[in-house]
Amino acid sequence: MKILVLNSGSSSLKFKLYTMPQKELLVQGLIERIGEESSQIHLSLEGTVRESSETIRDHRHALEILEKALPRFGILSSFEELGGVGHRVVHGGEAFTSPTIIDAAVRSTIEALIPLAPLHNPANLMGIDAFAALAPKVPQVAVFDTAFHQSMPSEAYRYAVPESWYREHQVRRYGFHGTSHFYVSRELARLKNSPQERLNCITLHLGNGASICAVRGGKSIETSMGLTPLEGLVMGTRSGDIDPGVHYYIHRTTGKSPKEIDEILNRQSGLKGIAGSNDMREIQRRMEQGNESAKLAFDLFIHRLRKYVGAYAVLLGRLDALVFTGGIGEHSAPVRQALCDGLAVLGIGLDSTANDAARTDARPIHAADSRSELWVIPTDEEGVIAEESYRLVADRRKDSPSLTPLA
Ligand code: ADP
């Protein structure tokens, strides 16, 4: 069965097409600058990349172009041939604790959650609606970034703010990157050949956005992102934790509006705010040349991360492993080294040779006498979305073969 995975942004559409259950990747690509004069199309299959540009009006138009392009590669003659399509949906609020087939009720719940994710959920819905318009019979599945963290206990997910903020406005911590934290914690159990129920680990998803998660027995018990992805670690362009009093202070002293301040904290802060670049490679390069602001950005990033690792180790009580993933987690040996240099109090020791090895596969990097294991595990969010979509679609076929999803 062929499953298409879509990650739909406000002006972009990323996709991967798989044969399931083998999880064989047939083609992947990205359509960018949708709605602008010149949209870019990148398709990559069997190691070759094809790029083109044309005007693409909207997400539906982008999908039409994709549907026309696929038969030329002999992959699919039309979307009707798909067994299902899986969407990354950013915010599932408290409504969704696991992936789900999208019917009219699910669609309207995702819509009702827009106030919690005003940029992401509308973009995700554009992808869902565009696909439904083109291939209404193909079942669609939503896989939520927040769902994995719905297992957090209330003392982890509630903020100490008036009860009414929670009851009336859903103000609580949700967490994001759930699909990635889920995947790498499951992979860890598989690679170690130990039952997930007995493993305690901390997963570090360090990309442009970054979050950390404490996973006990396969369940998230705490994570660093909150109501929005702004809370927690220092990120590429996000501040992570700051005193909430800073908002009002900056408003009073500069006259900036809450919206402007929110944008600055999301887009002009983090590594970029301190060192002018959100690219960790660039920060590392400049740091080697003695650049002070690059060093400060790197140190802030590591310091925050170390505080969280310490706190999560205490919450878990027993720490079997720490898992690095995401662009920085998978590729930056200096970040892993700097973090682990400060974890001796936990009995954690890195094997520097394994850490420095130029490898891209999943691998252990701990010293033989380390109390907890250290692993690098490349994340695969799209693979999980494909698996979950396949599972739900296959189950549904067994139950009610004739139902139409968004009818
Ligand atoms: P996103 O969150 O956008 O998916 P990624 O997971 O791709 O981002 O991570 C992007 C980050 O990974 C950037 O800060 C980039 O500099 C960093 N990165 C990628 N490769 C390396 C590397 N070899 N060394 C250090 N940082 C790297």
Side-chain angles (χ1 to χ4, degrees):
M1 180 192 294
K2 293 202 174 73
I3 297 277
L4 179 67
V5 173
L6 291 179
N7 184 350
S8 172
S10 54
S11 63
S12 68
L13 195 68
K14 277 192 214 153
F15 62 89
K16 285 192 178 180
L17 178 63
Y18 294 89
T19 303
M20 298 301 287
Q22 304 87 322
K23 215 162 57 164
E24 181 198 352
L25 180 61
L26 299 171
V27 59
Q28 61 179 316
L30 168 64
I31 302 178
E32 283 178 300
R33 295 201 249 146
I34 297 172
E36 292 178 30
E37 275 287 277
S38 163
S39 316
Q40 303 290 323
I41 307 168
H42 310 259
L43 280 178
S44 143
L45 80 166
E46 288 164 3
T48 61
V49 178
R50 293 160 202 239
E51 301 200 345
S52 56
S53 77
E54 58 184 285
T55 304
I56 300 181
R57 293 184 304 275
D58 53 22
H59 287 68
R60 179 168 172 175
H61 190 196
L63 283 174
E64 280 168 358
I65 286 174
L66 177 62
E67 190 176 24
K68 278 201 201 107
L70 292 177
R72 276 186 246 139
F73 305 121
I75 291 176
L76 199 74
S77 54
S78 89
F79 282 159
E80 299 290 344
E81 255 179 61
L82 291 167
V85 52
H87 295 267
R88 173 184 182 217
V89 179
V90 168
H91 219 306
E94 288 188 337
F96 299 107
T97 56
S98 56
T100 182
I101 297 249
I102 305 172
D103 58 14
V106 168
R107 193 209 168 279
S108 46
T109 308
I110 296 171
E111 192 169 18
L113 290 165
I114 287 176
L116 288 172
L119 298 179
H120 291 108
N121 276 28
N124 303 151
L125 281 171
M126 282 196 265
I128 292 168
D129 293 343
F131 192 88
L134 290 176
K137 293 214 177 78
V138 176
Q140 304 201 63
V141 171
V143 179
F144 300 92
D145 263 20
T146 48
F148 181 59
H149 303 299
Q150 280 295 303
S151 49
M152 284 193 285
S154 51
E155 65 272 23
Y157 74 70
R158 287 291 295 274
Y159 291 116
V161 295
E163 172 81 11
S164 60
W165 288 16
Y166 172 60
R167 296 275 166 239
E168 292 163 30
H169 304 290
Q170 298 82 47
V171 173
R172 52 157 283 176
R173 309 184 59 254
Y174 293 94
F176 297 87
H177 291 143
T179 309
S180 178
H181 291 296
F182 161 74
Y183 173 76
V184 297
S185 54
R186 189 188 68 182
E187 271 298 280
L188 174 76
R190 190 183 67 78
L191 291 160
K192 280 174 60 58
N193 205 9
S194 31
Q196 211 176 345
E197 305 72 53
R198 282 199 230 129
L199 267 185
N200 283 0
C201 64
I202 296 177
T203 51
L204 297 87
H205 179 104
L206 310 177
N208 208 7
S211 69
I212 172 167
C213 181
V215 186
R216 176 181 288 143
K219 299 209 179 329
S220 166
I221 62 154
E222 175 62 288
T223 192
S224 56
M225 285 177 165
L227 175 86
T228 75
L230 188 53
E231 193 180 338
L233 302 177
V234 172
M235 307 179 214
T237 63
R238 296 190 191 115
S239 63
D241 297 335
I242 57 163
D243 176 352
V246 169
H247 289 74
Y248 186 46
Y249 174 75
I250 288 293
H251 170 66
R252 267 187 295 138
T253 51
T254 69
K256 288 193 191 309
S257 69
K259 185 164 186 273
E260 283 172 307
I261 297 169
D262 189 61
E263 274 207 23
I264 294 170
L265 292 173
N266 273 289
R267 294 170 195 233
Q268 304 296 332
S269 301
L271 300 175
K272 188 172 180 196
I274 301 284
S277 167
N278 62 332
D279 186 331
M280 185 54 90
R281 285 165 291 201
E282 177 73 19
I283 304 273
Q284 291 172 188
R285 251 192 312 274
R286 287 205 218 141
M287 200 167 58
E288 277 167 27
Q289 293 158 358
N291 183 297
E292 300 262 324
S293 59
K295 176 158 175 18
L296 176 62
F298 186 87
D299 289 349
L300 245 158
F301 184 90
I302 299 293
H303 176 78
R304 182 80 51 84
L305 200 53
R306 199 179 280 147
K307 280 208 295 190
Y308 269 94
V309 170
Y312 286 11
V314 171
L315 288 180
L316 286 169
R318 190 196 76 237
L319 179 60
D320 298 313
L322 214 69
V323 183
F324 293 90
T325 196
I328 298 173
E330 290 167 35
H331 303 296
S332 176
V335 162
R336 296 190 300 253
Q337 179 82 53
L339 171 69
C340 294
D341 281 348
L343 299 179
V345 69
L346 298 175
I348 288 178
L350 187 73
D351 175 341
S352 295
T353 311
N355 186 46
D356 291 343
R359 284 172 56 176
T360 56
D361 56 337
R363 60 206 184 269
I365 54 167
H366 50 273
D369 60 353
S370 180
R371 205 183 299 156
S372 309
E373 296 192 356
L374 300 168
W375 285 77
V376 177
I377 301 183
T379 196
D380 184 14
E381 289 157 288
E382 295 83 4
V384 173
I385 298 174
E387 277 175 32
E388 294 292 333
S389 304
Y390 171 74
R391 183 176 61 79
L392 287 171
V393 168
D395 280 357
R396 181 197 154 85
R397 282 193 177 178
K398 270 184 255 148
D399 295 345
S400 49
S402 62
L403 274 178
T404 42
L406 267 173

